[in-house]
Amino acid sequence: FSEVLDDLEEQGKLRKGSWLRKWLDALAFSLSGLDCTGTTTAAMAFTMDELHWPGTRGLAYPKGGMGSVIDALVKAVEREGGEIRTGVTVEELILDGRRAVGVRCGGAKGEIRAKESVVCNASIWDSAKLLPKDDPLLDEMRADWQDTPMTRSYLHLHLGLDATGLDLAKLEPHYTAMAHWDDVTAEQNMVAISNPALLDPSLCPPGKLILHLYGAGNEPYGIWEEAKAKGRSEYEALKEARAERLWKSLEEIIPDARSRAEVALIGSPATHKRYLRRTAGTYGPVPVFGRF
């Protein structure tokens, strides 16, 4: 998308170094963990359109929460005769030549053979670990996948607040808090604040609010790896210290948010790595345009 903006600047339709360009970089970063130089025009165009959908007040949220999306996918799979298996660890891809034809699972689960194709949504680094180890011809592919540059991770703060006395009419379903505009991708700069119950009150009990605050793609993994190596108390202390940025962003909107909090859960890059099974808890790969 940066090429589109460069053309507009050359044509005099966008002022060089303008705040608008920084804002577009921030929007791109919230999508991909990269500024406009690493974000596709298609993604930016769709999002700019979504920001203006009637009734969304800026961003669309699924009715019933993200669980409703999962439920819909399960129904679709089962309607077509498919089966959902949870708690199954895939240890290796089964290949026929260079075609994936199944997966080898851990424990007593054995092998699962595909009727048509294998679809893998693991990250490229974790997919590299699934390639058969006994085929030296795959070493180059494995190394190439593992060398893919990655974006940073997330820091999350999930909250359940007592909303007694809050004027909900003055709140928005989504905010973006910036510490500065010098570098929108800087560590702990951008914080997204989601307040979806304003659009779908069924998400929480009457008189309550649920909020999700996160630093998208601007949290480094290394400091968390070091903290976990030092023990649980060091890790928990780091969670509290790093979450201060998220709390302070919310307090600009709801000054007494901490005293209202009935539930407060902090998710770190280590949480991402453990529960999403993503190397370094990464948000995803940095696209190298023209690589393939």
Side-chain angles (χ1 to χ4, degrees), residues 31-107:
L31 299 176
S32 66
L34 301 162
D35 62 19
C36 288
T37 61
T39 306
T40 64
T41 300
M44 292 294 288
F46 176 87
T47 304
M48 290 297 293
D49 180 56
E50 182 187 24
L51 290 175
H52 298 87
W53 286 355
T56 64
R57 295 175 65 182
L59 282 178
Y61 290 93
K63 291 182 178 180
M66 289 303 299
S68 65
V69 176
I70 302 302
D71 292 342
L73 290 171
V74 170
K75 288 180 181 178
V77 170
E78 293 179 341
R79 184 178 63 242
E80 299 300 321
E83 177 187 353
I84 304 293
R85 299 187 187 182
T86 59
V88 178
T89 301
V90 173
E91 293 187 341
E92 190 175 69
L93 290 169
I94 300 172
L95 301 184
D96 181 5
R98 288 296 174 264
R99 178 178 173 82
V101 296
V103 294
R104 187 169 291 110
C105 303

Side-chain angles (χ1 to χ4, degrees), residues 3-287:
E3 294 181 1
V4 174
L5 299 181
D6 290 342
D7 287 342
L8 290 173
E9 287 182 345
E10 290 180 8
Q11 296 171 33
K13 296 180 179 179
L14 178 66
R15 184 170 58 82
K16 291 186 177 182
S18 66
W19 177 85
L20 177 57
R21 174 137 191 179
K22 292 179 180 179
W23 182 85
L24 289 168
D25 271 330
L27 180 63
F29 184 67
S30 69
L31 299 176
S32 66
L34 301 162
D35 62 19
C36 288
T37 61
T39 306
T40 64
T41 300
M44 292 294 288
F46 176 87
T47 304
M48 290 297 293
D49 180 56
E50 182 187 24
L51 290 175
H52 298 87
W53 286 355
T56 64
R57 295 175 65 182
L59 282 178
Y61 290 93
K63 291 182 178 180
M66 289 303 299
S68 65
V69 176
I70 302 302
D71 292 342
L73 290 171
V74 170
K75 288 180 181 178
V77 170
E78 293 179 341
R79 184 178 63 242
E80 299 300 321
E83 177 187 353
I84 304 293
R85 299 187 187 182
T86 59
V88 178
T89 301
V90 173
E91 293 187 341
E92 190 175 69
L93 290 169
I94 300 172
L95 301 184
D96 181 5
R98 288 296 174 264
R99 178 178 173 82
V101 296
V103 294
R104 187 169 291 110
C105 303
K109 303 296 182 180
E111 296 182 356
I112 301 175
R113 293 279 176 162
K115 289 185 177 180
E116 184 175 337
S117 59
V118 176
V119 179
C120 178
N121 75 337
S123 76
I124 193 167
W125 307 276
D126 297 290
S127 297
K129 299 173 186 176
L130 300 178
L131 293 173
K133 308 295 190 300
D134 58 356
D135 187 346
L137 296 178
L138 295 174
D139 289 347
E140 183 178 350
M141 179 185 294
R142 184 181 296 107
D144 180 60
W145 290 6
Q146 290 174 333
D147 287 342
T148 301
M150 66 175 66
T151 58
R152 289 164 293 179
S153 188
Y154 277 81
L155 181 68
H156 300 268
L157 179 59
H158 293 274
L159 297 173
L161 301 187
D162 179 3
T164 303
L166 276 180
D167 187 350
L168 300 185
K170 293 183 177 180
L171 297 179
E172 296 292 338
H174 191 88
Y175 298 87
T176 300
M178 303 293 296
H180 57 80
W181 291 96
D182 296 333
D183 177 5
V184 298
T185 71
E187 185 176 314
Q188 289 214 319
N189 184 5
M190 177 188 292
V191 174
I193 304 173
S194 294
N195 184 18
L198 289 188
L199 299 174
D200 183 1
S202 70
L203 294 176
C204 56
K208 309 296 181 182
L209 272 184
I210 56 168
L211 295 106
H212 174 208
L213 295 87
Y214 56 96
N218 59 16
E219 185 69 15
Y221 178 74
I223 59 174
W224 297 93
E225 190 173 37
E226 293 172 5
K228 284 184 70 70
K230 294 177 181 177
R232 188 71 190 182
S233 60
E234 189 82 14
Y235 173 66
E236 291 297 331
L238 183 61
K239 284 170 67 176
E240 295 296 330
R242 299 292 286 185
E244 273 297 301
R245 167 74 179 116
L246 306 183
W247 277 112
K248 289 178 179 178
S249 296
L250 180 59
E251 286 168 339
E252 294 180 17
I253 304 161
I254 305 175
D256 58 349
R258 296 194 207 216
S259 63
R260 290 179 175 275
E262 297 178 354
V263 176
L265 303 173
I266 302 170
S268 75
T271 313
H272 261 233
K273 179 182 178 181
R274 178 181 179 185
Y275 290 100
L276 300 182
R277 296 172 58 83
R278 295 180 69 84
T279 296
T282 179
Y283 184 27
V286 174

